[in-house]
Amino acid sequence: MGSFFPTRSRATSHAERMRIVKLFEQAIAERDLEAIALLTPDDITALDTTSSAIHGRDAFIEALEGLFSDRPGVRPDFRNFVSQNGGLLVSGFVLGPGEAMRLSSLWRIEFEGPLIAMIQSFRKDNRLSLPSLHARRALALPKMRPPHP
């Protein structure tokens, strides 16, 4: 498995950054949190166009666990890659189970060496962005139990 994942000593050309993002996409589709952790630094940041943000790998992995639990089958479909200032602009879709959901999306991805250090999603409807879902999940009140007679 190690040869598929980037190492800190490798250069990150456009082709290498694309390969890393495709590995990230595959890891999300496979719900492989260990692989996602290998592709991200301790200080990863995920943002959307609202004020929602996730800082740190532990919080990022926790947010993905919540996403995987709450929205089974949701995954990115990265299609087009454009280099920008050492990072990538990526367009594609967020897909739901089967073809039930297909949302056009744009992501800005920055790197720390060969690791994905920042992901920002741009979408008209940010309700399905990972930071927004994570924030709503964190604010959810515990379910009340009915009183016992």
Side-chain angles (χ1 to χ4, degrees), residues 32 36 61 65 74 104 108-109 111 124-125 127 133:
D32 187 345
I36 293 166
I61 295 296
E65 288 176 323
V74 170
S104 293
R108 181 171 62 101
I109 300 174
F111 295 82
K124 256 186 190 178
D125 182 0
R127 290 176 299 150
L133 288 170

Side-chain angles (χ1 to χ4, degrees), residues 1-6 10 19 23:
M1 169 158 64
S3 65
F4 291 107
F5 293 97
R10 292 176 67 182
R19 187 180 78 77
L23 285 170

